[in-house]
């Protein structure tokens, strides 16, 4: 699959399950806690500065955002979890919307589970990984903000994360891991380059 990354933009902002697209395009889902760097990863992969908006306040996004990539693929940004200041009504709505999305049918789906490499996995991250395993949803761990660690901490934290599954260290600031993520995505899509 050849992709023209210049032909990418926000396609659908879904606040209700009825608004999810019903096509057979593969979906690459960006999952993780609030402020882990989902928007930054999307922007870096697509070579844009602000296609995916970086929220001014963690926990603000409560919609599922579908980015149309060359009419062949969806990048799907689901709301971040684990933000304590969100009120209970919003947390329930987030949970229901995200759950309905993750259980919805699509042709092919891969979840990129983002974990802050400096912070390490949270209880919410472990819960999400358990759900992905139990539902047999393909996933790959992206260790964000890897440029924030010294060499010793980097090696140790990477080793700990690798116990949970395959990991790609990533930094949007320095572009670390961008090519590795794209190689993995093309492999998943059945067209390794």
């Amino acid at each position: 699959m050849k992709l023209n990354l210049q032909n990418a933009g926000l396609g659908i902002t879904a606040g209700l399950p009825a608004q999810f697209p019903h096509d057979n395009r593969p979906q690459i889902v960006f999952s993780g806690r609030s402020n882990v760097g989902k928007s930054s990863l999307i922007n870096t992969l697509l070579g844009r500065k602000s296609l995916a908006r970086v929220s001014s306040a963690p926990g603000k996004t409560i919609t599922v955002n579908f980015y149309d990539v060359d009419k062949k693929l969806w990048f799907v940004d689901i709301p971040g979890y684990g933000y304590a200041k969100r009120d209970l009504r919003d947390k329930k709505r987030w949970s229901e919307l995200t759950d309905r999305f993750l259980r919805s049918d699509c042709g092919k789906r891969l979840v990129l589970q983002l974990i802050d490499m400096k912070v390490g996995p949270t209880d919410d991250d472990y819960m999400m990984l358990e759900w992905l395993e139990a539902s047999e949803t393909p996933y790959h761990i992206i260790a964000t903000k890897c440029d924030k660690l010294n060499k010793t901490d980097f090696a140790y934290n990477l080793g700990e994360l690798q116990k949970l599954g395959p990991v790609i260290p990533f930094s949007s600031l320095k572009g670390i891991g961008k090519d590795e993520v794209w190689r993995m995505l093309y492999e998943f899509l059945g067209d390794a380059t």
Side-chain angles (χ1 to χ4, degrees), residues 102-103 126-139:
L102 289 171
R103 292 180 190 280
Y126 283 119
M127 201 162 39
M128 187 66 188
L129 290 167
E130 285 172 19
W131 187 92
L132 292 168
E133 288 284 346
S135 64
E136 299 180 352
T137 302
Y139 70 91

Side-chain angles (χ1 to χ4, degrees), residues 3-4 30 34 62 65-66 82 113 133 184:
L3 294 171
N4 176 5
F30 296 76
S34 293
I62 53 172
N65 297 320
F66 293 83
Q113 182 59 39
E133 288 284 346
M184 179 266 298

Side-chain angles (χ1 to χ4, degrees), residues 15-140:
L16 300 167
Q19 296 169 319
F20 299 158
H22 298 287
D23 57 22
N24 235 13
R25 283 193 226 175
Q27 297 178 350
I28 307 301
V29 181
F30 296 76
S31 170
R33 69 175 179 77
S34 293
N35 204 31
V36 74
K38 296 189 307 294
S39 297
S40 297
L41 176 57
I42 291 169
N43 288 332
T44 300
L45 291 175
L46 295 177
R48 305 288 182 85
K49 288 191 192 270
S50 58
L51 176 63
R53 303 239 173 180
V54 177
S55 194
S56 57
K60 194 173 180 183
T61 305
I62 53 172
T63 55
V64 178
N65 297 320
F66 293 83
Y67 295 90
D68 179 350
V69 182
D70 200 24
K71 307 275 185 234
K72 297 176 183 172
L73 175 69
W74 291 111
F75 273 8
V76 187
D77 185 6
I78 61 175
Y81 51 74
Y83 188 62
K85 291 185 181 175
R86 184 181 282 166
D87 72 34
L88 285 175
R89 203 172 48 225
D90 281 346
K91 283 183 182 179
K92 186 170 187 261
R93 185 166 169 245
W94 171 88
S95 180
E96 289 171 358
L97 184 66
T98 304
D99 188 63
R100 290 281 297 275
F101 167 70
L102 289 171
R103 292 180 190 280
S104 66
D105 286 331
C106 77
K108 198 169 196 174
R109 179 180 288 150
L110 173 70
V111 173
L112 299 184
Q113 182 59 39
L114 279 65
I115 297 175
D116 186 318
M117 194 167 183
K118 189 171 182 181
V119 173
T122 64
D123 289 344
D124 290 322
D125 291 325
Y126 283 119
M127 201 162 39
M128 187 66 188
L129 290 167
E130 285 172 19
W131 187 92
L132 292 168
E133 288 284 346
S135 64
E136 299 180 352
T137 302
Y139 70 91
H140 204 104

Side-chain angles (χ1 to χ4, degrees), residues 140-157:
H140 204 104
I141 296 169
I142 308 297
T144 61
K145 307 180 186 182
C146 73
D147 58 301
K148 309 263 188 222
L149 293 96
N150 62 39
K151 286 184 180 180
T152 303
D153 290 340
F154 178 95
Y156 178 79
N157 289 12

